[in-house]
Amino acid sequence: MATRKNITGRFGSAAAGVLLATGVTLTACRRGLEKARLHERRMELEELAIRRESLRHQQRMHWELLTRAIDDPSLAEVIDTYDKSIPAARRRQFFYANAWYVHLYHTHRMGLLDREELYRHLREFFQSPIFREYWQASEHMRDSLNEASVEAQLGRMVDGLVRDLDEADTDEWWVVGDPPSD
């Protein structure tokens, strides 16, 4: 009787070795990909942090410059593009209204307010006749914006809000209009 050799035994251990090596290689590749993804995510977060800090700096600078213009009428003349028939005291109030609007705009841009929250804050601000007058007086400034810009889009949203408030047949201003969703 002839003895049959188990040929698969020799090749089986070789195949197992190849599979093991392949598995180790795949695991190393997965780890490398995961490392690359984590690095990319870390870079995105750092970029976002830099962008937010830049926006915070921009907001601080805007406020500082506007404060100087509000406090010193001779400095206000540098940036005052409102109709000169509007009394100087009212134009200074417009600078202050602008500071609030820009504050809300930057707060939204930093991601601290979504569009719906921004809308609710603005709906409250537009209860002020001076704020409404500021918005109307600054229309020519918004007309110069790039139509596709975030600022122009928000301006159109606010224009719609003002129309809704003007057309509302209720004293419950806090329910007027449909806040946009992000």
Side-chain angles (χ1 to χ4, degrees):
M1 185 179 267
T3 307
R4 225 181 196 192
K5 289 189 177 177
N6 186 352
I7 204 163
T8 59
R10 277 191 250 160
F11 291 118
S13 61
V18 168
L19 286 175
L20 181 63
T22 302
V24 169
T25 304
L26 285 174
T27 301
C29 284
R30 282 189 197 119
R31 284 186 187 141
L33 284 173
E34 186 61 27
K35 235 182 199 182
R37 282 188 201 114
L38 287 172
H39 177 72
E40 184 178 337
R41 181 65 180 147
R42 197 173 307 119
M43 296 300 287
E44 288 172 359
L45 290 173
E46 286 175 15
E47 185 179 326
L48 181 61
I50 290 168
R51 182 172 171 73
R52 282 189 172 168
E53 183 55 36
S54 295
L55 285 169
R56 273 192 289 276
H57 177 73
Q58 166 64 27
Q59 188 174 7
R60 279 190 304 272
M61 287 301 299
H62 182 260
W63 174 247
E64 187 175 319
L65 292 168
L66 269 180
T67 301
R68 289 179 183 176
I70 291 168
D71 293 342
D72 185 343
S74 69
L75 295 178
E77 289 177 28
V78 173
I79 61 169
D80 189 352
T81 60
Y82 296 108
D83 185 342
K84 298 305 179 205
S85 67
I86 299 169
R90 178 66 77 191
R91 291 194 318 264
R92 287 175 60 195
Q93 289 174 324
F94 288 175
F95 289 143
Y96 188 69
N98 176 261
W100 272 106
Y101 178 75
V102 171
H103 167 72
L104 290 171
Y105 169 76
H106 282 298
T107 303
H108 169 67
R109 289 290 308 267
M110 285 188 275
L112 301 174
L113 290 176
D114 63 22
R115 284 177 75 96
E116 187 175 338
E117 292 167 317
L118 174 64
Y119 187 90
R120 286 196 300 260
H121 284 289
L122 288 167
R123 184 169 45 197
E124 182 177 349
F125 273 90
F126 277 96
Q127 298 312 300
S128 162
I130 296 171
F131 207 87
R132 282 177 178 240
E133 192 178 334
Y134 146 74
W135 191 254
Q136 185 176 20
S138 62
E139 182 178 17
H140 67 283
M141 296 173 203
R142 291 187 306 284
D143 288 343
S144 68
L145 296 172
N146 176 338
E147 269 190 46
S149 71
V150 173
E151 192 172 359
Q153 292 170 12
L154 289 177
R156 288 190 296 275
M157 177 191 81
V158 173
D159 288 340
L161 168 62
V162 171
R163 270 191 309 279
D164 289 347
L165 288 167
D166 288 343
E167 295 170 1
D169 58 356
T170 180
D171 291 333
E172 296 175 345
W173 57 266
W174 55 91
V175 298
V176 172
D178 293 317
S181 57
D182 279 332

